[in-house]
Amino acid sequence: MAAVRALVAPRLVVASAFAPFPELLRPMSLCGLAPSPRAALHGSAPRPGARVALVLSGCGVYDGSEIHEASAILVHLSRGGAEVQIFAPDVRQMHVVDHTKGQPSESESRNVLTESARIARGKISDLAQLNAANHDAAIFPGGFGAAKNLSTFAVDGKDCRVNQDVERVLKEFHRAGKPIGLCCIAPVLAAKVLRGVEVTVGHEQEEGGKWPYAGTAEAIKALGAKHCVKDVTEAHVDQKNKVVTTPAFMCETALHHIHDGIGAMVKKVLELTGK
């Protein structure tokens, strides 16, 4: 105890010495001094962020949403201060793919909304409930789910059908002049629904395997849309239609390049909201 008193006593002496002047023991910001203009600026209320609807198509690149793309979108939206609500259609997947083999599992059946909830950490709503009036923008990640579950593009190409709620949402946001972001294969949805729209899925030649899905560009043209060549780290902005697209995993490249391209897409979408 003597040792403890020896350590504490000097501190008590210092505190008691300042006892007649308690304001000196308070942080400087509480000493009655007027805050500087810079402090007042930093203390101002933040601007409300954009309300963004994220539309998923399952969980897993071969039969649902590409998980890395969905995650990258969420990270960039978070960094941009957006308020995000996640949706997916309450429908059965076209099929279930064993991702260790890249082949369908004939005996399995899964629900798109239920599977998408894995990415959403359970916080997800039926796409039928999405109303453009309640959001400032909508974003669609890629993954084969966009071509299998949100549409039939994977089997029907330019003659594909788009899920009725997906088509409704795209048209609602478009009519309202609210931006729509799509990446990877998802731009085919806009190409089918929004006639004459400009989108990108990257390059138009395979270039030795770097762009293995380059043929999609021709399908987009066949749908009546304009294809614009962009690199994986870039986003294309159709200013007239407020549609923003980026290639993402249409390109065989390092993950951080895909992450950067998605960041460019999200940034442009948020800018177009004006929030």
Side-chain angles (χ1 to χ4, degrees):
M1 288 299 296
V4 172
R5 292 193 193 97
L7 288 172
V8 174
R11 299 180 187 179
L12 294 175
V13 170
V14 171
S16 62
F18 284 106
F21 312 99
E23 65 276 7
L24 297 180
L25 294 176
R26 300 180 192 137
M28 288 299 291
S29 60
L30 301 178
C31 291
L33 300 177
S36 68
R38 182 179 295 274
L41 176 64
H42 290 312
S44 62
R47 293 176 60 188
R51 298 166 300 170
V52 180
L54 179 65
V55 181
L56 301 181
S57 61
C59 182
V61 58
Y62 298 129
D63 58 10
S65 291
E66 212 299 322
I67 297 171
H68 297 293
E69 291 177 8
S71 180
I73 290 168
L74 287 167
V75 168
H76 288 294
L77 286 173
S78 176
R79 183 169 286 129
E83 177 186 333
V84 182
Q85 189 173 358
I86 305 177
F87 298 86
D90 186 6
V91 297
R92 190 172 70 174
Q93 290 184 188
M94 182 183 126
H95 59 191
V96 178
V97 173
D98 180 341
H99 280 59
T100 64
K101 301 175 182 177
Q103 297 177 352
S105 298
E106 301 297 341
S107 61
E108 289 192 63
S109 176
R110 298 187 186 183
N111 178 276
V112 175
L113 178 62
T114 302
E115 290 301 296
S116 298
R118 295 175 180 273
I119 298 174
R121 297 173 63 85
K123 296 180 180 179
I124 195 166
S125 301
D126 186 343
L127 185 60
Q129 299 174 11
L130 174 53
N131 187 328
N134 300 326
H135 296 83
D136 301 303
I139 297 181
F140 293 74
F144 283 101
K148 294 178 177 180
N149 305 328
L150 303 188
S151 72
T152 63
F153 181 80
V155 293
D156 296 326
K158 66 180 180 62
D159 298 317
C160 68
R161 300 182 310 279
V162 175
N163 171 279
Q164 62 181 7
D165 278 315
V166 172
E167 182 171 356
R168 174 187 60 81
V169 166
L170 289 169
K171 288 181 175 178
E172 281 184 6
F173 277 84
H174 184 254
R175 281 196 300 265
K178 295 181 176 182
I180 300 166
L182 311 100
C183 64
C184 195
I185 193 68
V188 300
L189 302 172
K192 177 66 177 182
V193 173
L194 307 176
R195 297 295 180 179
V197 71
E198 297 178 2
V199 299
T200 189
V201 289
H203 289 200
E204 298 181 356
Q205 302 296 325
E206 290 190 14
E207 299 176 16
K210 183 177 180 180
W211 296 91
Y213 310 106
T216 306
E218 292 304 315
I220 283 172
K221 295 174 187 177
L223 286 167
K226 179 181 179 180
H227 183 260
C228 302
V229 174
K230 290 287 180 178
D231 284 328
V232 68
T233 57
E234 297 179 309
H236 177 73
V237 182
D238 180 343
Q239 293 286 353
K240 178 182 177 181
N241 293 295
K242 291 191 175 180
V243 172
V244 188
T245 50
T246 191
F249 277 100
M250 299 297 277
C251 181
E252 287 288 340
T253 188
L255 182 60
H256 66 278
H257 294 314
I258 291 161
H259 189 273
D260 290 347
I262 289 173
M265 181 265 287
V266 170
K267 181 180 179 181
K268 292 297 184 182
V269 168
L270 293 180
E271 287 177 358
L272 287 171
T273 68
K275 295 293 182 73

